[in-house]
């Protein structure tokens, strides 16, 4: 399709897929196994938290929201990826492409917002342990979770509405899946509003949550250095998985933002492919494992359930 002639685009071509012959069947098997592990691990922890009343606390409600989001983001990518791996022609209809963009971008926004709320929850639990049960109730946690999801959906609906109105002059996306900025690059109409809102959205999605996270951890560190050994151990056990999750996801998203907005032709194509999928594959795999192992209460209940099943 010509890049200089305005056309009504009904489908997009994904240009990052490599011709690997029969190796695609191996890739399909590996991808399918990863998706099954993600679904089983996250679903299991969601069920454990929902079924056990002792886990109906703010911290575990936030974790439940995190695991639901991992399922949501993975479902926005993996079934699509599995179809494309086996396909000879890597095309996707325009409506499905925009739907995938909506799913993946809201997933990323919900992830950051959820991690921000979790850092505030840890700040209250460690810095104000006696007032924690009044400052952060289960009811307040549910309201915060609903606000995080609604805010993310509404914010990206604006982005999507700005993209749909664009006149496109091409249909080749240089990626494995649909990417918002790469679609905007295909436009031959004025994209100034899209670019300005896109930058505003990135700043609002990353930098704004960063301030409460930094504030929370500065106060936690202050309490840890001046507190008892027990306080330090509690902070370490509850904050380590959160910090690892936050840093890991930030790294993955940073590369994806850089890759979509700057020329990365100097980076080997295989490395670009791996890094573009990093935050969508590693995070849903890592979170249930980390939180399941690190949170003692959740770990003990999971062990009890496994022993009961094996009997």
């Amino acid at each position: 399709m010509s890049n200089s002639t305005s056309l009504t685009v009904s489908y997009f071509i994904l240009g990052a897929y490599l011709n690997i012959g029969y190796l695609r069947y191996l890739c399909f098997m590996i991808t399918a196994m990863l998706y099954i592990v993600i679904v089983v691990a996250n679903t299991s922890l969601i069920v454990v938290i929902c079924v056990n009343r002792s886990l109906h606390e703010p911290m575990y409600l936030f974790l439940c929201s995190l695991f639901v989001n991992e399922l949501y983001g993975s479902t926005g990518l993996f079934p699509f990826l599995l179809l494309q791996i086996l396909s000879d022609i890597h095309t996707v209809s325009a409506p499905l492409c925009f739907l995938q963009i909506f799913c993946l971008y809201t997933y990323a926004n919900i992830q950051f917002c959820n991690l921000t709320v979790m850092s505030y929850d840890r700040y209250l639990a460690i810095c104000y342990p006696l007032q924690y049960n009044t400052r952060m109730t289960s009811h307040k946690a549910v309201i915060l979770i609903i606000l995080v999801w609604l805010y993310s959906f509404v914010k990206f609906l604006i982005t999507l509405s700005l993209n749909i109105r664009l006149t496109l002059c091409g249909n080749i996306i240089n990626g494995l899946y649909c990417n918002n900025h790469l679609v905007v690059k295909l436009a031959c109409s004025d994209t100034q509003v899209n670019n300005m809102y896109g930058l505003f959205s990135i700043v609002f999605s990353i930098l704004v949550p960063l301030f409460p996270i930094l504030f929370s951890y500065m106060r936690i560190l202050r309490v840890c250095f001046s507190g008892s050994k027990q306080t330090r151990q509690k902070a370490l056990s509850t904050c380590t998985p959160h910090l690892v999750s936050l840093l890991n996801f930030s790294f993955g998203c940073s590369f994806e933002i850089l890759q979509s907005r700057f020329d990365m032709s100097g980076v080997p194509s295989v490395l670009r492919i791996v890094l573009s999928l990093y935050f969508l594959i590693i995070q849903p795999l890592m979170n249930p494992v980390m939180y399941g192992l690190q949170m003692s209460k959740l770990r003990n209940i999971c062990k009890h359930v496994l022993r009961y099943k094996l009997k």
Side-chain angles (χ1 to χ4, degrees):
M1 187 175 285
S2 172
N3 284 320
S4 60
T5 307
S6 172
L7 294 170
T8 302
V9 173
S10 60
Y11 67 94
F12 294 99
I13 298 169
L14 300 167
Y17 284 89
L18 304 173
N19 184 10
I20 54 174
Y22 289 111
L23 279 175
R24 64 181 175 174
Y25 298 109
L26 177 62
C27 291
F28 178 86
M29 292 292 291
I30 293 169
T31 306
M33 285 300 296
L34 286 172
Y35 185 44
I36 290 167
V37 171
I38 287 168
V39 170
V40 171
N42 285 282
T43 304
S44 299
L45 289 174
I46 291 166
V47 171
V48 166
I49 292 169
C50 291
V51 169
N52 288 274
R53 288 187 176 275
S54 61
L55 296 179
H56 292 182
E57 299 171 4
M59 178 172 63
Y60 296 105
L61 293 177
F62 292 133
L63 279 178
C64 192
S65 172
L66 196 72
F67 299 144
V68 170
N69 190 44
E70 302 299 4
L71 288 177
Y72 169 65
S74 300
T75 304
L77 173 73
F78 277 91
F80 173 85
L81 205 59
L82 290 168
L83 286 172
Q84 292 297 328
I85 289 170
L86 291 183
S87 178
D88 293 319
I89 303 170
H90 305 292
T91 61
V92 54
S93 67
L96 187 60
C97 187
F98 285 119
L99 177 62
Q100 185 179 53
I101 289 171
F102 178 81
C103 289
L104 297 184
Y105 278 72
T106 49
Y107 159 74
N109 200 83
I110 291 166
Q111 189 84 354
F112 271 119
C113 290
N114 215 89
L115 290 170
T116 303
V117 173
M118 286 172 71
S119 69
Y120 176 68
D121 175 70
R122 292 301 81 211
Y123 155 69
L124 290 179
I126 294 165
C127 298
Y128 300 97
L130 298 177
Q131 297 98 339
Y132 175 74
N133 289 331
T134 54
R135 290 195 177 198
M136 181 61 77
T137 62
S138 295
H139 179 69
K140 287 179 182 176
V142 170
I143 291 171
L144 284 170
I145 290 166
I146 291 169
L147 286 174
V148 162
W149 284 74
L150 278 177
Y151 159 73
S152 301
F153 284 147
V154 170
K155 185 165 80 71
F156 199 74
L157 276 173
I158 298 170
T159 305
L160 204 61
S161 64
L162 289 172
N163 288 356
I164 290 170
R165 70 177 181 85
L166 292 174
T167 303
L168 303 179
C169 296
N171 70 339
I172 300 174
I173 298 173
N174 188 27
L176 294 176
Y177 52 86
C178 294
N179 180 295
N180 181 60
H181 191 68
L182 294 181
V183 171
V184 173
K185 278 183 174 180
L186 297 174
C188 46
S189 55
D190 184 24
T191 61
Q192 188 174 356
V193 175
N194 296 71
N195 292 331
M196 286 177 64
Y197 184 77
L199 288 171
F200 166 79
S201 183
I202 289 170
V203 170
F204 213 74
S205 299
I206 298 173
L207 293 183
V208 172
L210 195 62
F211 289 112
I213 290 170
L214 289 174
F215 170 79
S216 297
Y217 275 101
M218 283 171 65
R219 296 299 297 270
I220 289 169
L221 284 171
R222 187 178 170 185
V223 169
C224 286
F225 285 124
S226 60
S228 63
K229 185 180 178 181
Q230 188 180 1
T231 304
R232 286 195 291 272
Q233 285 177 340
K234 181 185 176 183
L236 188 66
S237 64
T238 59
C239 293
T240 300
H242 179 268
L243 270 174
V244 172
S245 179
L246 179 66
L247 292 171
N248 179 69
F249 194 70
S250 299
F251 165 76
C253 287
S254 297
F255 180 82
E256 186 55 22
I257 291 167
L258 290 172
Q259 182 174 238
S260 64
R261 292 181 177 269
F262 300 100
D263 181 21
M264 302 289 282
S265 56
V267 180
S269 57
V270 175
L271 183 60
R272 287 205 309 270
I273 288 169
V274 171
L275 290 175
S276 69
L277 293 170
Y278 182 86
F279 79 104
L280 293 166
I281 294 178
I282 302 300
Q283 195 76 2
L285 281 170
M286 188 178 70
N287 275 344
V289 173
M290 269 200 321
Y291 286 105
L293 293 175
Q294 283 289 325
M295 312 296 279
S296 58
K297 199 171 180 181
L298 187 58
R299 183 178 66 244
N300 292 336
I301 291 174
C302 287
K303 282 181 180 178
H304 176 74
V305 171
L306 282 171
R307 284 199 199 104
Y308 178 78
K309 292 286 184 186
L310 291 171
K311 282 181 181 180

